[in-house]
Amino acid sequence: MKILVTGAAGFIGYHLCEALLKRDIEVVGIDSINDYYDQNLKFGRLSQLGIEKIGARVPLRRCTSTKHGSKFKFVRMNLEDRQELPKLFEQEEFRVVCNLAAQAGVRYSLENPSAYIDSNIVGFVNLLECCRHYKIEHLVYASSSSVYGLNDKIPFSTTDNVDHPISLYAASKKSNELMAHTYSHLFGLPTTGLRFFTVYGPWGRPDMAIFLFTKAILDNKPINVFNHGEMERDFTYVNDIVDGVERILMEPNDKRKQRPIYNIYNIGNNKAIKLTDFIESIEHNLGKTAVKNMLPMQPGDVTRTWANVDNLIQDYNYSPDTDISVGVKSFTDWYCQHYKV
Ligand SMILES: NC(=O)c1ccc[n+]([C@@H]2O[C@H](COP(=O)([O-])OP(=O)(O)OC[C@H]3O[C@@H](n4cnc5c(N)ncnc54)[C@H](O)[C@@H]3O)[C@@H](O)[C@H]2O)c1
């Protein structure tokens, strides 16, 4: 089993690579290491995987891990690269692909829409083409809870209508699901889309709430609390996400073939947590109270997310079990150690 993980220097991609390597699976990771947020965090994650940087960059376009040897290779590459991507598929003969590379973030899609079209649309269709031509057994790809947009029926179910996205990010993720459907239908490519719900944990993204709040509280700066705190999120600990993704990736091909060729699952914690409770948990772990800057709702944002994960439980025995008290502590411990606070 050789797996391609795209977005391997990213938050979820890094954790997935670690988990797959622990199982002794052969992994090739690709990432453009874009500068959407601090690239040092991406280099830091790669270093955990045994891919060392020299000076400011990963030294070679293609490197082998000093920690995992030939079991883990990293290639710095853009999904949009229509020349190099097929060459990689030709050389490596992957069986399964997990696409986590994307321009993430709802708010940034209002500022830089082109980044979403380049990575999430052009990049994704290039990947689909490679999966089609190199007869990939299964493409698993990240979608997002944001596809539920203006949906007000909770918890969000994969049978709900998702024709009302309210950000270009959400529209790009919904487009991925439509494009995957086309490739499953036309070319018999088995695809599984995973709608992730607010993932958090160590090595997390600096643009996400837990990172922003922790940093601001420690720096004695106010935190921005949107919709005056009247928000709920299905916060999901990264290990629970990785566990779900692994269950799907690891499924033997003969068993997977018994499922529909095109599949979509929610992957969340199955609970809506009040933003104010989440903040309290961060404060508790840092032993400091936040100064809150109460603000109105932001454009493109939704007030509540909550995942119905019944299908994933039924099909894959998925069981997210990390309570926010445990997950938040693990993040704040990592943050304080990493940034030497
Ligand atoms: N973190 C969450 O809460 C969350 C929620 C819903 C969906 N998702 C989705 O999960 C996936 C992983 O998210 P993450 O939080 O790890 O984000 P991340 O930004 O940390 O990781 C994505 C990685 O992809 C790389 N990348 C971006 N465009 C690329 C391209 N065109 N070619 C090659 N590499 C590229 C980036 O450099 C980055 O390292 C993304 O698809 C994201 O949209 C994440």
Side-chain angles (χ1 to χ4, degrees):
M1 166 80 103
K2 194 194 269 189
I3 299 188
L4 170 66
V5 176
T6 74
F11 168 40
I12 303 172
Y14 151 67
H15 282 282
L16 178 66
C17 289
E18 283 272 34
L20 292 173
L21 290 164
K22 266 195 199 126
R23 286 175 180 260
D24 218 24
I25 305 269
E26 203 176 337
V27 180
V28 176
I30 68 171
D31 201 296
S32 60
I33 318 187
N34 68 24
D35 62 359
Y36 168 57
Y37 59 78
D38 184 9
Q39 288 168 308
N40 285 321
L41 199 56
K42 299 185 182 185
F43 289 127
R45 295 177 187 131
L46 287 176
S47 165
Q48 298 291 306
L49 294 167
I51 303 294
E52 303 298 340
K53 69 166 186 163
I54 297 175
R57 332 202 112 234
V58 168
L60 300 168
R61 215 181 138 76
R62 186 176 297 237
C63 336
T64 300
S65 169
T66 53
K67 203 159 142 190
H68 301 281
S70 58
K71 286 270 175 196
F72 182 63
K73 273 181 257 168
F74 176 76
V75 186
R76 188 170 187 171
M77 189 187 285
N78 247 303
L79 287 183
E80 296 93 300
D81 193 332
R82 223 169 267 152
Q83 254 70 50
E84 292 299 321
L85 197 62
K87 282 190 204 158
L88 186 73
F89 273 74
E90 175 85 44
Q91 286 155 3
E92 298 289 350
E93 299 180 350
F94 308 115
R95 279 177 55 190
V96 172
V97 172
C98 183
N99 182 45
L100 299 173
Q103 178 57 57
V106 167
R107 289 163 199 167
Y108 186 60
S109 68
L110 279 77
E111 280 166 47
N112 189 354
S114 317
Y116 293 77
I117 301 304
D118 295 345
S119 290
N120 305 5
I121 305 294
V122 178
F124 191 68
V125 85
N126 289 348
L127 195 69
L128 283 170
E129 275 291 283
C130 288
C131 291
R132 165 192 172 191
H133 289 293
Y134 292 93
K135 308 271 179 284
I136 293 303
E137 285 174 10
H138 193 188
L139 166 65
V140 177
Y141 62 95
S143 182
S144 161
S145 61
S146 65
V147 299
Y148 289 104
L150 290 176
N151 196 356
D152 54 8
K153 175 188 152 288
I154 49 150
F156 297 163
S157 161
T158 49
T159 53
D160 294 345
N161 178 294
V162 285
D163 286 337
H164 34 227
I166 56 167
S167 68
L168 192 71
Y169 169 67
S172 74
K173 290 292 179 180
K174 166 74 185 172
S175 307
N176 286 172
E177 295 180 359
L178 296 172
M179 289 151 89
H181 185 273
T182 311
Y183 274 66
S184 293
H185 174 75
L186 285 177
F187 308 115
L189 172 67
T191 62
T192 300
L194 298 175
R195 294 176 179 166
F196 294 154
F197 281 67
T198 320
V199 190
Y200 74 101
W203 294 98
R205 273 174 27 211
D207 61 330
M208 294 194 68
I210 191 167
F211 195 113
L212 293 167
F213 291 164
T214 301
K215 183 171 189 319
I217 295 170
L218 290 169
D219 292 349
N220 298 314
K221 296 204 170 127
I223 62 170
N224 288 336
V225 183
F226 294 102
N227 204 29
H228 305 281
E230 291 298 312
M231 303 261 262
E232 286 178 31
R233 286 286 178 275
D234 195 327
F235 290 104
T236 316
Y237 190 60
V238 68
N239 289 8
D240 289 329
I241 290 281
V242 166
D243 172 71
V245 177
E246 272 188 296
R247 283 170 192 266
I248 295 167
L249 289 172
M250 292 296 112
E251 186 172 51
N253 205 24
D254 50 351
K255 197 151 176 230
R256 197 213 38 74
K257 277 184 178 161
Q258 292 162 19
R259 301 193 189 284
I261 195 158
Y262 170 82
N263 250 327
I264 297 282
Y265 292 99
N266 284 337
I267 177 162
N269 197 35
N270 204 200
K271 258 186 220 125
I273 304 279
K274 285 196 173 111
L275 180 62
T276 44
D277 291 346
F278 194 66
I279 295 171
E280 248 176 50
S281 180
I282 301 172
E283 291 174 323
H284 171 76
N285 281 294
L286 296 176
K288 278 180 90 172
T289 307
V291 180
K292 299 185 189 80
N293 190 14
M294 295 300 199
L295 295 168
M297 195 64 186
Q298 289 208 112
D301 229 345
V302 298
T303 51
R304 176 151 65 167
T305 66
W306 177 5
N308 173 333
V309 292
D310 290 351
N311 295 349
L312 203 54
I313 293 171
Q314 195 185 310
D315 291 358
Y316 289 98
N317 253 333
Y318 172 67
S319 60
D321 60 2
T322 311
D323 189 77
I324 59 156
S325 58
V326 176
V328 169
K329 180 174 181 338
S330 141
F331 175 83
T332 52
D333 286 354
W334 166 79
Y335 185 97
C336 292
Q337 198 204 358
H338 186 74
Y339 291 103
K340 301 188 176 45
V341 184

